Amino acid sequence: SMEPNLQNIPVRTELGSRIRGAFIARPGWKLVDADYSQIELRVLAHICADERLKEAFIKGEDIHARTASEVLDVPMAEVTADQRRQAKAVNFGIVYGISDFGLAKDLGISRAAAHDYIDRYFLRYPGVERYQQKTIAECADCGFVTTLLGRRRYLPDINASNFNRRSFAQRMAINTPIQGSAADIIKIAMIRIDAELRRQNLRSRLILQIHDELIIDMAAEEAHIVPQLLKRIMEEALPLDVPLLVDIKQGENWYEMKKIQE
C-alpha cells in the first residue's frame, strides 16, 4: 500500500496477523469486533428481490453452498469444498459485475466454462440478471445510480464509445447501489451506537471502522451490555427483506479475537 492505514492491514497473512496482534487493549479493557456477515450479498438479495436468493438468507443457509447446489444441480449435502469455493467467487463477483474473463482468471478455468457458470447462475437467480440489466439501462438514461438511501454516483462513461470505459462504468453501475447501500447501513449503525453509548453513560467507545466491521474499545465491566447493544443496533440499522447478521468477537488484542457465544 502506498498510503498504509488501518483499513488495509491484511488479515489472511502471517505478517498481517502479527501486525493486528500489536493493537492491544489497555489493562481492564477489551477490544470488541462487530462484523456484518455477507452484507453486500444481503443487500443484493433485497435490491434484486430474487426469491431464491432471499429465501437462502431468510432460512439462514450457507449462501455459497446453496448457490453451488442451485447452479450445479447437486444436493446441498453433496456440495464439495471446491464447488463451494467456485460459488463463493461467483457470488461476490456478481456484486462487481464480473465478466466471464474475470471469473475464468479468478478460478483458473476456461473462459467458456466461466461463461457457462454465469449463465447457469442467472438461470437460477433471474432477479439478479434483471437487476443488472435494469440498472445499466436506467444509468445510461439518467447518468447516475443511487443507493437505497438516495446517495447518487454519477457515471459519465456509461455511454462512452470506448468499450473499456463503458464496461467499467457498467460494472460501477451494478456495484454502487450494493456497496454504497452497505456503506450507508454501517454509517447509520455507527451514529446510533455512538449516541447509545453516550446516552447510557457507558465508558466504551467506537474507535474504528474497517469496511463491514466496527471496533469498540470496551470497559471490561460493560461486557454484559456492549456486545448485545452492538448486535441489536447494527442488525436493525436499516430494515431489509432479508435479515442482517452481525458476528461479535472480543479479545485482549485485535488478532486474538474469540467469537462470543450467543
Side-chain angles (χ1 to χ4, degrees):
S1 174
M2 294 179 64
E3 296 181 8
N5 60 67
L6 295 177
Q7 285 211 358
N8 55 22
I9 294 175
V11 69
R12 293 184 178 89
T13 65
E14 181 184 354
L15 179 59
S17 297
R18 289 170 60 195
I19 292 172
R20 287 190 174 218
F23 292 86
I24 301 169
R26 53 193 147 153
W29 290 66
K30 297 268 191 181
L31 294 180
V32 180
D33 181 302
D35 186 9
Y36 276 116
S37 173
Q38 301 170 335
I39 187 172
E40 291 180 356
L41 294 178
R42 294 171 189 269
V43 170
L44 170 63
H46 173 84
I47 290 177
C48 78
D50 184 273
E51 292 303 324
R52 276 199 179 97
L53 202 55
K54 290 198 299 182
E55 180 185 46
F57 286 118
I58 291 169
K59 288 184 174 179
E61 294 177 339
D62 178 337
I63 185 61
H64 305 313
R66 168 69 180 264
T67 296
S69 173
E70 291 276 5
V71 172
L72 301 175
D73 197 24
V74 298
M76 280 267 287
E78 296 178 17
V79 171
T80 67
D82 189 57
Q83 288 170 336
R84 185 185 183 278
R85 179 185 65 84
Q86 290 185 346
K88 183 176 181 179
V90 175
N91 276 329
F92 286 113
I94 290 294
V95 172
Y96 293 91
I98 198 166
S99 65
D100 53 9
F101 176 80
L103 183 62
K105 185 177 179 182
D106 288 348
L107 294 179
I109 60 178
S110 70
R111 189 167 180 176
H115 184 83
D116 181 59
Y117 205 127
I118 292 173
D119 281 350
R120 281 183 284 155
Y121 179 96
F122 286 141
L123 186 65
R124 302 303 288 178
Y125 299 115
V128 178
E129 185 173 30
R130 285 195 300 269
Y131 156 73
Q132 292 191 354
Q133 293 174 345
K134 180 171 179 273
T135 301
I136 290 172
E138 290 178 350
C139 183
D141 185 53
C142 67
F144 62 85
V145 291
T146 61
T147 69
L148 286 172
L149 293 179
R151 282 195 303 125
R152 290 185 181 183
R153 179 174 187 175
Y154 286 87
L155 295 166
D157 282 344
I158 195 70
N159 293 312
S161 57
N162 180 277
F163 174 80
N164 289 335
R165 287 169 53 194
R166 186 174 68 253
S167 296
F168 180 76
Q170 289 174 347
R171 290 194 295 275
M172 291 303 98
I174 290 168
N175 172 249
T176 295
I178 301 166
Q179 195 171 47
S181 295
D184 289 346
I185 289 169
I186 200 165
K187 287 179 176 66
I188 291 170
M190 290 167 70
I191 292 167
R192 291 178 182 170
I193 288 166
D194 180 69
E196 187 63 15
L197 291 173
R198 295 176 190 277
R199 188 188 71 80
Q200 295 191 31
N201 291 317
L202 298 173
R203 294 200 292 157
S204 301
R205 288 290 179 266
L206 172 63
I207 57 173
L208 186 64
Q209 176 217 353
I210 305 172
H211 308 300
D212 301 333
E213 65 184 284
L214 300 178
I215 307 294
I216 305 291
D217 192 23
M218 181 183 72
E221 71 272 14
E222 295 171 359
H224 65 294
I225 300 174
V226 172
Q228 295 89 333
L229 179 152
L230 288 173
K231 187 173 179 67
R232 173 178 58 81
I233 292 176
M234 290 176 72
E235 290 182 348
E236 295 176 357
L238 187 68
L240 300 178
D241 291 341
V242 299
L244 289 172
L245 185 63
V246 173
D247 294 321
I248 308 285
K249 295 176 289 185
Q250 69 178 35
E252 302 291 340
N253 65 61
W254 191 14
Y255 172 64
E256 293 177 354
M257 293 277 191
K258 291 184 172 59
K259 185 171 182 178
I260 295 177
Q261 296 301 314
E262 298 170 18

